[in-house]
Amino acid sequence: MLTLILLPIAGFGQAEVSAKKVVKLMGCAFEVAASANNDTVAWEAIRAGITEIERIEKLISSWDPRSQTSEVNRMAGTAAVHVDQELYDLIYRAKKVSALTGGAFDISFASMDRIWVFDQAEHAMPDSERVAEAKSKINYQEIILNPKDTSVYLSKGMKIGFGAIGKGYAANRAKQIMNNIPGVSGGVVNASGDLLCWGQSPSPEGWKIHIANPHQKEKPIAWIQAKDLAVVTSGDYEKFFTSEGKRYAHIIDPRTGYPAHGITSVTIICPDAELADALATSVFVLGKDEGIALIDKLKNVACIVITDDGKIHQSQDLSLNFY
């Protein structure tokens, strides 16, 4: 979701050069940028970041039948599947967010993947019995992890998917790989609204990030000065359908099996892109009041919520610059 507008990469200082590349990965556009002490290093960093994102996609994709995630889903109700420590740890952290949010975030929501079609067209609502049947397969507590052999077991009919956390994790990993290259002084990974920026930027205060109007994305409503932060947005304006004139967004409430409502977009600001990704979905599902109350309890995390009536709400201690 391209709801974040980053100022053009410029003004790095006389000793710095910058480069960027846009590629399609994980079903969306990734913009990867680096600043470095020479052009060769900047492009080396970008290539390394993209290679890492490609590796993560192969690991967590539920569409690739060869991935470990697909194997876990295939074996649901039959046997536990040994997975790499990396994937095991990602699932473990996802379950921690599920517990934190009371199930508003749940990677086992993937059982709903053939119930709803968010193609911006007009549809009848799906049969309630189908929704109820699929919803009965959603339960993060039935994702059984065994640390002894890093195995994952799902109950029969369950599926897991990383659509609400995977891009953030990939951004974190790309940053880590890029930062390990000598001569790299900063960079940006922007996965269609899951944005992570760090290090050298166009100004001493950090990267200037514009928060766009959800329905007029080229007209920002506010901006923040970010430094070594992730800024992740979830919104209802690109993946949706309508039924009898009512708009239904693609973000499913795992607790009901139906699309969440009442919010147009949620932006989370914190140092970790993976956590920001998961919390953006969580707040969207929880709703304005409960969502902001959750964010206010967390250290070094802030949020901006735009409700369906166009009003802007924010967590405490967040300084926004409005236009």
Side-chain angles (χ1 to χ4, degrees):
M1 289 154 286
L2 297 173
T3 59
L4 301 174
I5 307 168
L6 188 66
L7 286 185
I9 298 174
F12 281 99
Q14 294 182 353
E16 297 294 331
V17 297
S18 63
K20 68 178 179 179
K21 185 173 183 177
V22 179
V23 292
K24 186 172 183 180
L25 294 165
M26 296 186 173
C28 70
F30 268 79
E31 179 181 320
V32 182
S35 57
N37 52 20
N38 65 68
D39 185 72
T40 300
V41 171
W43 281 108
E44 179 187 355
I46 288 171
R47 287 192 295 270
I50 291 171
T51 297
E52 180 66 0
I53 296 166
E54 290 172 338
R55 185 188 70 82
I56 297 298
E57 182 174 21
K58 291 177 182 177
L59 179 69
I60 69 174
S61 173
S62 56
W63 299 104
D64 183 350
R66 299 165 296 180
S67 74
Q68 293 183 9
T69 300
S70 292
E71 179 68 7
V72 170
N73 289 342
R74 274 195 301 271
M75 297 303 292
T78 301
V81 176
H82 166 72
V83 299
D84 291 350
Q85 186 73 52
E86 180 180 18
L87 181 59
Y88 180 93
D89 290 343
L90 179 61
I91 296 170
Y92 176 83
R93 294 192 301 272
K95 289 190 64 175
K96 296 283 282 186
V97 177
S98 296
L100 174 69
T101 61
F105 175 86
D106 193 327
I107 60 171
S108 68
F109 81 98
S111 66
M112 307 293 300
D113 63 357
R114 301 193 184 279
I115 303 298
W116 302 95
V117 180
F118 299 100
D119 59 359
Q120 302 187 14
E122 174 78 13
H123 298 290
M125 294 292 285
D127 180 78
S128 60
E129 291 185 3
R130 287 187 66 210
V131 174
E133 172 63 20
K135 190 271 170 195
S136 71
K137 309 300 182 184
I138 302 175
N139 187 349
Y140 70 92
Q141 294 176 323
E142 293 187 17
I143 303 172
I144 308 302
L145 301 178
N146 186 340
K148 294 182 179 179
D149 60 359
T150 63
S151 66
V152 184
Y153 177 81
L154 304 181
S155 297
K156 185 177 180 179
M158 289 184 69
K159 295 180 182 179
I160 57 173
F162 297 96
I165 196 173
K167 294 194 299 295
Y169 176 60
N172 278 352
R173 285 293 308 156
K175 171 192 171 181
Q176 185 173 347
I177 294 295
M178 294 168 71
N179 248 4
N180 286 338
I181 296 175
V184 172
S185 56
V188 176
V189 178
N190 184 3
S192 297
D194 289 20
L195 185 148
L196 180 62
C197 56
W198 70 93
Q200 181 71 44
S201 62
S203 69
E205 294 80 14
W207 304 93
K208 186 175 182 181
I209 300 173
H210 295 255
I211 309 300
N213 183 319
H215 298 298
Q216 292 180 294
K217 292 182 290 183
E218 300 306 317
K219 295 183 178 180
I221 56 176
W223 58 274
I224 60 173
Q225 204 78 40
K227 188 173 184 179
D228 298 325
L229 282 176
V231 185
V232 172
T233 295
S234 289
D236 74 346
Y237 35 84
E238 290 187 347
K239 295 181 181 179
F240 64 90
F241 77 97
T242 58
S243 181
E244 297 182 357
K246 184 176 180 179
R247 182 190 186 98
Y248 293 90
H250 75 287
I251 298 175
I252 301 296
D253 184 340
R255 303 165 302 179
T256 66
Y258 284 86
H261 57 86
I263 289 178
T264 298
S265 73
V266 173
T267 298
I268 298 290
I269 303 149
C270 77
D272 185 277
E274 176 190 316
L275 178 61
D277 201 0
L279 288 177
T281 299
S282 302
V283 172
F284 202 105
V285 169
L286 289 170
K288 172 180 69 71
D289 294 336
E290 191 176 352
I292 291 177
L294 170 65
I295 298 303
D296 283 341
K297 295 176 182 177
L298 302 178
K299 187 177 180 180
N300 297 324
V301 182
C303 75
I304 303 161
V305 176
I306 301 178
T307 46
D308 287 348
D309 57 9
K311 293 182 179 179
I312 302 172
H313 312 267
Q314 64 188 70
S315 57
Q316 62 189 10
D317 301 327
L318 173 62
S319 178
L320 280 179
N321 303 281
F322 291 97
Y323 288 98

